[in-house]
Amino acid sequence: MSEPVELDIAHSIGREAARARIAGGIAKLESFIPGGKVTEHSWDGDRLMFTVAAMGQRAATTIDVLEDKVHLKVELPPFLGMFANKIRDVLGREGPKLLK
């Protein structure tokens, strides 16, 4: 496994609203990994766990919804590790749009 991609995205809408917006935008999460497709997802309290399949690989992902931020963590397999910086950039640019 390569190092996970982790990122915090600040928000001011509160935990409940952030969770609702993320739940309503799960399909948009696929675009965070080029060619990605969300293959499964589930909630455990305020943690969304999902898997993105791309290029024959699978990336386990979690989003922890907090009162003032969300914390994203993407566990990339070695092959996708070479895209870590690009994925981090996309998450930083596109992630806040899920909360609007």
Side-chain angles (χ1 to χ4, degrees), residues 11-23:
H11 66 80
S12 60
I13 60 174
R15 182 188 318 253
E16 299 284 324
R19 188 182 189 285
R21 290 180 187 177
I22 290 169

Side-chain angles (χ1 to χ4, degrees), residues 48-67:
L48 172 61
M49 298 163 289
F50 62 98
T51 302
V52 177
M55 298 167 53
Q57 306 289 308
R58 297 170 58 85
T61 306
T62 58
I63 299 177
D64 291 305
V65 183
L66 306 169
E67 191 63 32

Side-chain angles (χ1 to χ4, degrees), residues 31-82:
S31 66
F32 292 169
I33 296 182
K37 174 90 176 135
V38 173
T39 58
E40 54 194 59
H41 70 277
S42 64
W43 285 94
D44 182 12
D46 290 323
R47 172 176 277 188
L48 172 61
M49 298 163 289
F50 62 98
T51 302
V52 177
M55 298 167 53
Q57 306 289 308
R58 297 170 58 85
T61 306
T62 58
I63 299 177
D64 291 305
V65 183
L66 306 169
E67 191 63 32
D68 61 347
K69 67 181 175 183
V70 295
H71 179 79
L72 293 95
K73 182 176 181 181
V74 182
E75 299 280 350
L76 296 172
F79 179 74
L80 293 178
M82 69 178 93

